[in-house]
Every structure is written in C-alpha cells, then in structure tokens.
Amino acid sequence: MNIAKVELKTIDRIIAHEIYPKTEKKDAFAVAHTELLKFSKAEKDILISRMHEALANTSKTFQLDYEDKSDGSVYEIVKEINSKSDKDFIAITKSLAEDLAYAHFRTKIPGGYCLIGNGKTKDNKTFFFVIKAELQEVFNIENNKLVLIKDVFLSPAKDFYKIGFFIEYGKTYLPFMYDDQFSLQKKDLTEYFYGQFLGLTTDKNDKLKSKNFFDDAKLFIDNNVENLKDKLGLFS
C-alpha cells in the first residue's frame, strides 16, 4: 500500500495521556485522562492535515511488520478497537499509555503526550493511530480540549514526534511508522517506540534493509580498499 496516497477523512475520537520520563529515582509513568478530547472541526482538520503530511514523507515513514501477535498486543488491539464503545476505547488507550511509559527504559527518553485516536479515510477504511509528541509545550490541554498551538507538528517550537499508524487492509491492519528523528545517517527507526511499545519490526522493510546494506558496503570499502581509483570505482 502506498501510504502517501491515503486520504484521511475524519478523526472520530481522540484522547491524550501524559507520559513522564524515567529519572534516576523513579521509573517512567503515565498520567491517564478519562475523557475523550473535544475540539472543533477546524482543529481536527489541522491535525488530519499534519498527519497526512507526515505519513506522505517517504524519507521518514515506513511500512513495518508485526513481531508481537500475542493476546493483548497492538496487533490484536487494532483489529477490534475501532468498534469498541467510548468507555472501552478509553480503558484500552489508558493501558496503551502505560505500556508506552514502560517502554521508556532509559532516562534519556523524553516524556510528552501520547495521543491515541481512530477515524476513517475517504474510501471508508478505518484507521487507528498513536502519536508520541515529545515536547509538552506543543500541546495545551485545558478543560479536556486539545488546543493546537501554532502549527503543532511543523511549528519551529516543536521537538520530535512519532506516529504509529494502522490502516484497514482486508481482514487486517497494515502498520506504518513516521519517525521525525529518522535521517539518512541513522540505521533504524526509534526502537523503543516501534519495537518495545507497538510490537513491530523493521526487519522486513526492503527500503531500510537496502539503505543499511549500502551504508555497510560503503564503510567496508572505505576501511579495506587503499587504492583510491579502486575505491572510487567500487563506490560508484
């Protein structure tokens, strides 16, 4: 599936939980909210637009595979959560926020907001998403309303964010991840988020595997071939 061509139509519901990072004295923990966020259509449209721009960024968005398919895994959750009542949806997202906090196993992993929601595409496919926004100043939650400050994701004030995006495809949901921190210099996406938290793997993504093979081959040539002409030829 070409995720860049998917058009998001609406976000049906969304909730925000807070993640506090691990410190030397205390493990990371989640502060869960108990009500869905209520915000205007204009604010929803902005969030949809920002999500679409992120997912269409082919240099930072990758289709992944499920590694964890056990009971209670994200693989199992996404198949049913779109049809759950609001009460059950809130309970499930609270559990997910706690799982995300548990994945913050190092003090260097920052806290932030965990936004979880679901909606439909323009061709009536359901989707589910989890956003980790690491700069808490990006969002301001007042009276259970998500206030989008400036451009949110594209604001100069923003830090880093990640999106786990799951879209209906036949009888399953295809997983994608957008990682704002990924660059050509990195070998992998942020593992604590896609691996430990979402139960996904990058091992079968051809684009990432090809990139890493190229980088490793280039490094091997650089370290083992002394003749400049031969080295340039092999690089080419």
Side-chain angles (χ1 to χ4, degrees):
M1 174 184 286
N2 186 349
I3 193 65
K5 293 184 178 181
V6 172
E7 296 185 76
L8 309 182
K9 180 181 179 181
T10 183
I11 294 175
D12 297 327
R13 51 190 175 184
I14 184 171
I15 192 168
H17 304 295
E18 296 174 66
I19 307 296
Y20 286 82
K22 178 182 176 68
T23 66
E24 293 182 358
K25 296 182 178 180
K26 184 182 294 186
D27 288 337
F29 63 95
V31 174
H33 289 252
T34 58
E35 295 181 28
L36 297 175
L37 293 170
K38 301 171 184 176
F39 55 121
S40 70
K41 182 181 183 302
E43 289 167 331
K44 276 188 180 182
D45 288 344
I46 292 174
L47 183 53
I48 287 173
S49 175
R50 294 297 177 256
M51 285 179 59
H52 183 266
E53 289 176 16
L55 295 172
N57 186 338
T58 56
S59 66
K60 293 179 180 289
T61 299
F62 300 88
Q63 182 175 340
L64 306 186
D65 287 275
Y66 294 100
E67 185 170 54
D68 182 5
K69 295 185 177 182
S70 62
D71 291 343
S73 65
V74 171
Y75 170 77
E76 292 293 339
I77 288 173
V78 296
K79 292 190 293 185
E80 299 180 354
I81 195 167
N82 291 296
S83 61
K84 294 289 187 181
S85 67
D86 288 352
K87 181 180 179 181
D88 289 340
F89 178 87
I90 292 170
I92 292 170
T93 64
K94 178 183 177 182
S95 178
L96 285 172
E98 291 169 350
D99 290 343
L100 178 55
Y102 182 76
H104 285 56
F105 62 96
R106 292 186 289 111
T107 56
K108 291 184 178 180
I109 302 175
Y113 278 111
C114 173
L115 307 178
I116 304 176
N118 67 329
K120 289 186 176 63
T121 65
K122 289 189 177 180
D123 58 355
N124 210 37
K125 300 293 185 182
T126 56
F127 64 84
F128 173 76
F129 64 89
V130 181
I131 299 174
K132 165 75 185 303
E134 294 183 351
L135 183 65
Q136 295 194 24
E137 286 77 12
V138 170
F139 299 104
N140 180 24
I141 298 179
E142 297 177 349
N143 299 321
N144 204 38
K145 180 180 180 180
L146 179 65
V147 179
L148 299 177
I149 300 176
K150 296 183 179 179
D151 286 334
V152 184
F153 298 115
L154 300 183
S155 166
K158 64 91 179 169
D159 193 358
F160 301 115
Y161 64 99
K162 301 159 186 60
I163 303 175
F165 187 84
F166 304 81
I167 184 167
E168 181 183 358
Y169 186 78
K171 294 183 179 180
T172 188
Y173 281 77
L174 294 182
F176 293 83
M177 179 177 167
Y178 170 85
D179 189 347
D180 195 40
Q181 290 176 280
F182 186 75
S183 67
L184 292 176
Q185 288 70 45
K186 291 196 171 186
K187 294 180 70 68
D188 200 2
L189 305 177
T190 304
E191 198 277 335
Y192 85 85
F193 186 80
Y194 79 76
Q196 290 184 275
F197 171 47
L198 295 177
L200 304 176
T201 177
T202 61
D203 288 349
K204 296 181 181 180
N205 185 281
D206 293 340
K207 190 174 179 181
L208 283 172
K209 289 174 69 177
S210 297
K211 171 190 173 299
N212 290 334
F213 173 78
F214 176 86
D215 291 343
D216 290 342
K218 186 174 183 298
L219 181 63
F220 177 83
I221 293 168
D222 200 31
N223 291 335
N224 292 278
V225 180
E226 294 183 1
N227 184 282
L228 181 60
K229 185 176 180 180
D230 290 342
K231 181 178 291 189
L232 293 175
L234 288 169
F235 282 163
S236 178

